[in-house]
Amino acid sequence: MKTYDWIVVGAGFTGAALAYELVKKGFSVLLLEQDTNFQNATRYSYGGLAFWSGTTPVTRQLCDEGIARYRILSQELNANIELRELDLLLTIPTDTDPKIAAASYAHFATPPKLLSVDEACEMEPLLNREAIAGALTVKHGHINPQKTTQAYIQAFLRAGGEMEFTQVQNLLTSVQTTTTTYHSANVVVCAGGFSRDLLKASGIPIKVYFTHAEMIETPPVEINLRTLVMPANLQRFQLEAESSKVDEVWNEPGNEPVAPILDAGAIQFLDGSLRLGQISRIITNSSAKVDSKESERWLRQSIGEILPELANLPGTWHHCLVAFSSDRLPVIGTIPGYQGIYIFSGFSNPLVIVPPLAQRFANWVSGQEDEIISQWCSSVLIGGIS
């Protein structure tokens, strides 16, 4: 039976990018994905690239590397990933002082500019001026995440990589799936919101978590949303921090340690379709059922308060798992005590920094020194990230 150098588990954006970078280094690589329809977090992502959002020397460096990577990625992958620049509008609710909202972004690499209500509505005419006290704006990158992931996969296959659709059940001594057993010197888990459950099934505890994310996708429409609209105060990050304080609650399925939140936002893709969202819900069972009717009602009501013309557009409610860590940094590296098993997951905002980190990871496992990967690898502890 063939033995691979690397098996990459999960063919969302993260796994696809990493598999491509590994095969470019000359490794024999097998990419495994359980869902033939790719109904994952990548599929329902907004596609935003927050190049401006670095807050530390390392994250600013990775954002800069991400810009450079994306500028050549379409040509390298021989595919149109629909890279563009657009205006991001961060709406400020009427009960918030706009200057305080602006001050909370002062530590970012490019702090957004504060706009009055009139200026915000001039930039985005679909806004409800009665619902905001102002807005923040900054230039923001955008891609089609589905097309970019497929471009990575096709380039990976052209370079000699192999891909199988199957569900992984165990990955300790070999990778056992529902259909066969695969052998590899190294395995890297890039399964996003499923990473925790997958590792736990193999007896490997690690502090990576997931939200149940819910959004509405519309078909192409005539309405023109000029900007990417999101709230200035993103509750999702507060939800993630609060729900990961006590890891033990995640060991029992069905716990709901914090109440769900809704960050009302919208993005329109180049084909005219819209994604409206999103609800983030913490339920420690990855297969938990969500009340889609109540969820859609809440989404439409909240979107309607900010962007009234979008509230009643025809659309379909969707649900997926989104990975996160306890400190908003990805969980990357070897897992101590488990030789040849790696993790590359926990990205709260993966699209910006995955491409440069995937390159760095592939270089690092090829024997090149990499300060960033080594630093993050040293913090991956049995049971979690320090």
Side-chain angles (χ1 to χ4, degrees):
M1 182 176 290
K2 181 175 180 179
T3 298
Y4 298 90
D5 295 322
W6 284 89
I7 291 179
V8 178
V9 180
F13 181 80
T14 300
L18 185 56
Y20 169 71
E21 296 296 347
L22 287 169
V23 85
K24 271 178 59 182
K25 300 301 293 185
F27 293 115
S28 60
V29 183
L30 175 64
L31 177 61
L32 299 179
E33 169 59 39
Q34 67 174 352
D35 189 352
T36 57
N37 295 316
F38 293 96
Q39 302 295 310
N40 50 31
T42 300
R43 167 69 177 79
Y44 301 116
S45 165
Y46 270 32
L49 304 172
F51 295 129
W52 54 275
S53 65
T55 57
T56 66
V58 169
T59 56
R60 291 183 184 194
Q61 179 180 348
L62 289 172
C63 284
D64 289 344
E65 290 178 9
I67 295 173
R69 192 80 186 97
Y70 274 107
R71 284 174 179 161
I72 64 170
L73 199 56
S74 284
Q75 182 177 359
E76 181 176 326
L77 301 182
N78 193 28
N80 181 11
I81 64 173
E82 298 184 1
L83 176 65
R84 57 177 170 148
E85 183 180 82
L86 75 170
D87 294 310
L88 171 66
L89 272 183
L90 301 166
T91 56
I92 302 170
T94 54
D95 61 356
T96 299
D97 184 334
K99 291 184 179 179
I100 293 177
S104 68
Y105 283 84
H107 61 300
F108 285 80
T110 304
K113 175 186 175 183
L114 179 61
L115 300 178
S116 67
V117 173
D118 287 342
E119 289 171 326
C121 291
E122 182 179 357
M123 182 172 285
E124 182 48 75
L126 296 182
L127 280 175
N128 174 15
R129 64 172 49 249
E130 303 302 322
I132 62 172
L136 302 168
T137 188
V138 66
K139 291 296 182 182
H140 199 71
H142 190 258
I143 56 168
N144 185 309
Q146 277 182 283
K147 291 185 177 181
T148 306
T149 301
Q150 286 302 313
Y152 265 125
I153 291 173
Q154 292 305 313
F156 163 74
L157 294 173
R158 289 195 301 269
E162 299 178 31
M163 184 174 183
E164 297 288 345
F165 289 95
T166 185
Q167 185 173 359
V168 174
Q169 296 182 318
N170 190 291
L171 45 73
L172 277 180
T173 57
S174 57
V175 177
Q176 299 171 3
T177 73
T178 52
T179 57
T180 190
T181 298
Y182 300 97
H183 298 277
S184 178
N186 303 283
V187 178
V188 57
V189 176
C190 304
F194 294 100
S195 295
R196 183 184 179 93
D197 282 0
L198 178 59
L199 288 163
K200 184 179 178 181
S202 298
I204 305 173
I206 196 160
K207 291 182 180 178
V208 62
Y209 309 98
F210 54 86
T211 59
H212 293 260
E214 303 149 46
M215 48 79 70
I216 295 170
E217 184 178 49
T218 80
V221 296
E222 295 298 326
I223 291 175
N224 180 29
L225 182 70
R226 297 180 183 177
T227 62
L228 193 166
V229 177
M230 296 179 70
N233 178 23
L234 272 176
Q235 300 177 78
R236 178 168 67 89
F237 296 132
Q238 301 166 28
L239 178 92
E240 292 174 356
E242 185 66 28
S243 64
S244 58
K245 284 182 177 179
V246 181
D247 185 68
E248 286 73 16
V249 302
W250 287 83
N251 294 328
E252 299 176 6
N255 282 335
E256 193 167 357
V258 294
I261 59 92
L262 195 157
D263 289 319
I267 179 64
Q268 188 165 35
F269 285 75
L270 290 179
D271 68 354
S273 65
L274 288 153
R275 289 181 192 163
L276 313 174
Q278 78 177 30
I279 294 171
S280 296
R281 193 183 306 270
I282 299 292
I283 306 175
T284 56
N285 181 0
S286 60
S287 59
K289 301 298 182 185
V290 177
D291 186 338
S292 60
K293 290 184 178 180
E294 175 58 26
S295 174
E296 183 170 346
R297 183 201 63 78
W298 187 19
L299 277 165
R300 290 187 180 278
Q301 177 185 343
S302 300
I303 294 295
E305 293 171 3
I306 299 294
L307 298 159
E309 291 187 52
L310 306 186
N312 296 313
L313 290 174
T316 305
W317 175 89
H318 295 283
H319 160 256
C320 64
L321 299 183
V322 174
F324 69 93
S325 70
S326 60
D327 59 5
R328 293 178 61 179
L329 292 175
V331 184
I332 296 174
T334 56
I335 300 178
Y338 296 91
Q339 185 176 0
I341 300 179
Y342 297 73
I343 185 165
F344 193 80
S345 187
F347 293 84
S348 290
N349 188 15
L351 298 185
V352 179
I353 62 173
V354 161
L357 278 175
Q359 272 194 324
R360 285 176 168 273
F361 186 95
N363 289 337
W364 178 70
V365 297
S366 299
Q368 298 182 31
E369 290 293 327
D370 190 286
E371 185 177 351
I372 291 176
I373 299 295
S374 296
Q375 176 184 343
W376 278 340
C377 274
S378 66
S379 67
V380 177
L381 305 176
I382 188 64
I385 188 167
S386 60

